[in-house]
């Protein structure tokens, strides 16, 4: 295991680089926030954490997932959450900060990455967060039936979502783990011609009654590669409030739902285990 440190802000902060299962993990201090860090995996920005303010979400897609967390239950009410993909545990920290006494399970396959994050960016001792180092679908299978109020999927391997986390069979497992009234949210990444994104919407529509998609309008128009947050449930979603929050972000997002979202799929069909492929790799220009 390779490890190096390089001073960025004198003795108070230093970058950390360490080889993990997913490649080279780097923790880079945020020059604008005293105890904040960005996690990079093979030079691709993956997470941002502010240890002094875990309710601060810097990344665009994490802010949008934060809106989902805020709206899944009345403000401050504890929830049971499952996070598929851990990274720097940013969203689990957010839930713990904004919904104290919540109980959470994080499934992160990369055990050395989990060890690095726990050591360098320790969790609040009062946070009820359990981390399992296993494959996301295998870890989800261990969640009791009807346990979760929220399942968040944010899994990338080499900047791509693994195929087995994109299918109707995977969503059957998500539904099994969700409590009645529970929500599913997924961070998706795609670029023109948006084949993967359209297929994921069709797949979710085959398993959930209500859907919403939050993304930058340029991504939705197929003009650039980017992230989109898909939200799914079996009861009506708070579309007006989600729309207001997305529109007020530093980089405003657009919410698609109902007929417009169905039309957006363009006739895409649900993905099954037999037909699933990894999400597309982002172009090199995304990280430059």
């Amino acid at each position: 295991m390779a490890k190096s440190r390089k001073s960025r802000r004198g003795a108070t902060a230093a970058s950390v680089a360490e080889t993990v299962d997913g490649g080279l993990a780097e923790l880079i201090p945020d020059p604008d926030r005293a105890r904040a860090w960005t996690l990079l995996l093979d030079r691709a920005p993956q997470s941002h954490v502010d240890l002094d303010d875990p309710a601060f979400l810097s990344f665009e897609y994490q802010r949008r997932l934060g809106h989902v967390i805020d709206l899944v239950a009345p403000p401050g009410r504890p929830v049971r959450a499952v996070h598929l993909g851990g990274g720097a545990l940013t969203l689990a920290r957010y839930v713990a900060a904004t919904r104290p006494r919540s109980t959470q399970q994080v499934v992160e396959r990369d055990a050395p990455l989990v060890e690095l994050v726990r050591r360098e960016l320790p969790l609040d001792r009062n946070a009820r967060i359990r981390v399992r180092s296993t494959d996301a679908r295998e870890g989800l299978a261990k969640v009791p039936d009807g346990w979760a109020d929220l399942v968040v999927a944010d899994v990338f391997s080499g900047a791509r979502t693994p195929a087995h986390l994109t299918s109707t069979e995977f969503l059957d497992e998500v539904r099994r783990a969700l409590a009645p009234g529970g929500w599913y949210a997924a961070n998706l990444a795609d670029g023109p011609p948006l084949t993967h994104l359209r297929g994921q919407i069709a797949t979710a529509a085959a398993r959930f009654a209500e859907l919403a998609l939050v993304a930058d309008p340029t991504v939705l128009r197929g003009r650039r590669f980017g992230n989109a947050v898909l939200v799914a449930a079996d009861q009506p979603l708070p579309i007006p409030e989600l729309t207001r929050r997305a529109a007020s972000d530093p980089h405003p997002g657009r919410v698609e739902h109902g007929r417009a979202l169905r039309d957006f799929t363009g006739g895409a069909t649900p993905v099954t285990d037999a037909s699933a492929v990894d999400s597309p790799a982002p172009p090199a220009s995304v990280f430059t």
Side-chain angles (χ1 to χ4, degrees), residues 123-142:
L123 289 166
D124 186 323
R125 293 182 179 180
N126 295 319
R128 300 177 180 180
I129 301 172
R130 179 181 181 182
V131 183
R132 297 176 182 267
S133 294
T134 188
D135 173 78
R137 193 153 156 182
E138 292 177 4
L140 180 62
K142 296 179 181 178

Side-chain angles (χ1 to χ4, degrees), residues 67-221:
H67 299 328
V68 174
I69 292 167
D70 291 344
L71 296 173
V72 73
R77 194 186 82 182
V79 297
R80 291 178 171 178
V82 176
H83 303 267
L84 305 178
L89 308 178
T90 303
L91 293 172
R93 297 173 201 263
Y94 182 84
V95 172
T98 60
R99 297 184 176 278
R101 301 182 306 283
S102 291
T103 304
Q104 303 184 75
Q105 297 186 37
V106 178
V107 184
E108 171 55 63
R109 183 172 188 169
D110 196 329
L113 176 62
V114 171
E115 180 182 349
L116 170 67
V117 168
R118 281 185 172 277
R119 184 183 70 241
E120 301 291 340
L121 309 176
L123 289 166
D124 186 323
R125 293 182 179 180
N126 295 319
R128 300 177 180 180
I129 301 172
R130 179 181 181 182
V131 183
R132 297 176 182 267
S133 294
T134 188
D135 173 78
R137 193 153 156 182
E138 292 177 4
L140 180 62
K142 296 179 181 178
V143 175
D145 292 0
W147 184 85
D149 299 303
L150 175 66
V151 174
V152 177
D154 184 17
V155 183
F156 288 86
S157 176
R160 304 177 72 180
T161 301
H164 69 296
L165 305 180
T166 68
S167 66
T168 51
E169 290 90 343
F170 165 68
L171 290 185
D172 287 338
E173 195 64 28
V174 170
R175 287 185 59 89
R176 180 199 59 77
L178 282 173
W183 293 13
Y184 169 66
N187 176 31
L188 308 174
D190 199 8
L194 300 178
T195 302
H196 173 72
L197 184 57
R198 298 181 203 278
Q200 287 304 284
I201 297 167
T203 303
R207 292 298 184 266
F208 290 94
E210 301 289 337
L211 303 180
L213 187 73
V214 191
D216 186 298
T218 60
V219 173
L220 292 176
R221 289 195 290 265

Side-chain angles (χ1 to χ4, degrees), residues 25-101:
E26 298 174 272
L27 290 172
I28 308 297
D30 184 333
D32 299 319
R33 303 178 75 90
R35 297 182 67 226
W37 302 79
T38 298
L39 169 65
L40 283 70
L41 286 176
D42 283 341
R43 305 294 177 140
Q46 203 275 345
S47 302
H48 181 279
V49 170
D50 188 334
L51 297 179
D52 288 334
D53 184 9
F56 174 76
L57 298 176
S58 176
F59 286 10
E60 179 181 285
Y61 84 88
Q62 290 182 331
R63 287 180 62 87
R64 290 169 183 162
L65 287 169
H67 299 328
V68 174
I69 292 167
D70 291 344
L71 296 173
V72 73
R77 194 186 82 182
V79 297
R80 291 178 171 178
V82 176
H83 303 267
L84 305 178
L89 308 178
T90 303
L91 293 172
R93 297 173 201 263
Y94 182 84
V95 172
T98 60
R99 297 184 176 278
R101 301 182 306 283

